[in-house]
Amino acid sequence: MAIMLKLDDINVFYGAIHAIKGISLEVDQGEIVTLIGANGAGKSTTLRTVSGLLKPKTGTISFEDKTISGQPAHKIVEYGISQVPEGRRIFANMTVMENLELGAYIRTDKNGIKSDLERVFKHFPRLAERKKQEAGTLSGGEQQMLAMGRALMSSPRLLLLDEPSMGLAPLLIKEIFEIIKDINKAGTTILLVEQNANMALSIANRAYVLETGKITLSGDAKELSASEDVRKAYLGG
């Protein structure tokens, strides 16, 4: 399987704080790969670096064999990577439809945009029902769906998901993860950061465990979920 995303010895700093310490990882085309670890381990920082919101001090990021390290965020979207940020970050005073249209701001293919809008409404029928509603009046689960739908409107080949289950009830978490699987089956590769390690490992092909900015374990998701060390640290076992 072709490597889609590759991070090679990435180091990221917040001022004097060394947040990411020599991370190297790969995501193959068609996979769901998850990053798990405690709060502050560097998971979200890794996604923000891939999406161009942070710049690595050293190391290389390549996407489909093209070096993208240090490129601005809007260029990263143009290359085919889109991020659903932690906390959703929807535009609360705009309608659902306006949020979705903003997701397609880099595109000029009207037929493609229309097709992707139909695809988003198929994944998230509640958004179709509420397309004229102000986004800030949606429930937490609906806002997460909107954030995911907005990201899909850029037609990404790689979707970065940062804590999609945060603040959601268990039934909604299950629904969101089923939708993530459907998005992947439809052809979108996914790099997932998720505090709920049980759910993340249950849908992922492979996983990386981060501790204080370093990768300490990696491998098949099912094998890691069965690991005694991983169970004790992250799965409540």
Side-chain angles (χ1 to χ4, degrees):
M1 199 174 292
I3 297 171
M4 177 175 272
L5 178 73
K6 185 174 183 179
L7 278 64
D8 186 19
D9 197 23
I10 294 295
N11 287 273
V12 180
F13 288 78
Y14 290 108
I17 299 171
H18 195 176
I20 297 295
K21 303 168 184 174
I23 279 182
S24 296
L25 62 82
E26 295 177 356
V27 179
D28 292 340
Q29 185 175 348
E31 282 192 307
I32 298 177
V33 173
T34 187
L35 309 180
I36 63 172
N39 285 331
K43 306 184 302 295
S44 294
T45 298
T46 300
L47 289 197
R48 289 169 61 82
T49 304
V50 172
S51 64
L53 297 171
L54 296 171
K55 292 185 178 181
K57 187 165 185 179
T58 60
T60 304
I61 303 172
S62 56
F63 176 67
E64 296 179 334
D65 295 324
K66 180 184 295 181
T67 300
I68 63 170
S69 319
Q71 292 283 336
H74 71 276
K75 290 296 293 183
I76 301 296
V77 175
E78 290 175 10
Y79 291 144
I81 301 174
S82 190
Q83 179 170 353
V84 180
E86 181 181 354
R88 294 137 203 170
R89 308 283 180 89
I90 58 162
F91 297 97
N93 296 326
M94 300 175 73
T95 66
V96 166
M97 182 62 86
E98 288 168 338
N99 270 268
L100 293 173
E101 289 170 345
L102 273 176
Y105 78 98
I106 63 167
R107 302 174 62 182
T108 57
D109 56 324
K110 291 184 179 179
N111 288 337
I113 292 170
K114 182 180 178 182
S115 176
D116 281 341
L117 185 62
E118 291 171 356
R119 182 166 68 113
V120 166
F121 286 152
K122 185 177 179 181
H123 285 308
F124 308 106
R126 268 176 280 181
L127 297 184
E129 296 167 7
R130 292 160 171 73
K131 60 186 176 182
K132 295 182 180 179
Q133 191 171 322
E134 280 196 2
T137 65
L138 300 176
S139 69
E142 290 163 352
Q143 289 185 16
Q144 184 62 53
M145 293 174 187
L146 178 56
M148 292 169 66
R150 182 181 60 188
L152 289 173
M153 286 302 296
S154 70
S155 194
R157 294 185 296 286
L158 174 63
L159 184 64
L160 311 177
L161 288 168
D162 196 352
E163 302 286 5
S165 77
M166 181 180 286
L168 301 184
L171 279 177
L172 266 176
I173 291 172
K174 187 175 181 182
E175 182 179 355
I176 289 291
F177 273 80
E178 286 299 320
I179 293 169
I180 292 170
K181 288 196 293 184
D182 288 343
I183 291 168
N184 177 247
K185 286 176 184 175
T188 304
T189 304
I190 292 173
L191 180 57
L192 167 67
V193 160
E194 176 54 55
Q195 193 68 29
N196 187 332
N198 274 306
M199 287 297 294
L201 290 170
S202 74
I203 68 166
N205 301 103
R206 292 186 302 110
Y208 292 87
V209 178
L210 270 67
E211 293 181 14
T212 59
K214 295 180 180 179
I215 292 173
T216 56
L217 283 171
S218 65
D220 178 85
K222 288 184 175 60
E223 291 177 3
L224 285 179
S225 67
S227 159
E228 186 175 348
D229 289 341
V230 171
R231 294 198 68 79
K232 285 180 179 177
Y234 307 110
L235 306 179

